[in-house]
Amino acid sequence: MPEEVLFKFEQQMERNEIADYLRTVADSLESGGPISLEAGGDSVTMTPPARPTFEIKAERETSSSAPDKPGELGLEFELEWTEGDEESGSGELSIE
């Protein structure tokens, strides 16, 4: 299925600034309200359903052209849902 990017933002910032953004998202999720994103003239508002799919991915990207150089580490948090659907997955997660 083709992917359409509705909003994208990428910028280096302090960890406490990132935590503030994540808290705002967490507060919106907890209250059941919409999540609005805005930067550089672009904006999108989405309202996740009561039980979206939650994905966490920790990854290391390495360059095949320079395998001796350090890789780039990443931690991704993703919420997914089908438009108009309330499906959910199963399982438990622990974050420390």
Side-chain angles (χ1 to χ4, degrees):
M1 181 183 321
E3 179 178 279
E4 175 188 0
V5 176
L6 301 176
F7 182 89
K8 183 173 179 174
F9 174 82
E10 186 172 335
Q11 176 180 316
Q12 282 191 332
M13 57 180 65
E14 299 293 326
R15 293 190 314 184
N16 65 322
E17 293 175 299
I18 296 166
D20 286 342
Y21 285 116
L22 292 173
R23 274 188 208 90
T24 300
V25 170
D27 290 345
S28 293
L29 285 170
E30 192 168 50
S31 71
I35 298 170
S36 296
L37 309 170
E38 185 176 334
D42 293 331
S43 67
V44 67
T45 298
M46 304 177 102
T47 305
R51 295 184 56 85
T53 300
F54 180 49
E55 178 183 332
I56 297 178
K57 187 188 318 182
E59 62 187 12
R60 176 185 292 116
E61 294 180 25
T62 56
S63 171
S64 58
S65 63
D68 56 331
K69 290 193 175 182
E72 181 178 278
L73 297 173
L75 181 60
E76 297 179 9
F77 298 90
E78 187 170 331
L79 295 174
E80 290 183 322
W81 63 93
T82 302
E83 289 182 279
D85 199 3
E86 291 282 330
E87 278 189 34
S88 65
S90 62
E92 291 188 27
L93 170 68
S94 173
I95 300 177
E96 297 179 23

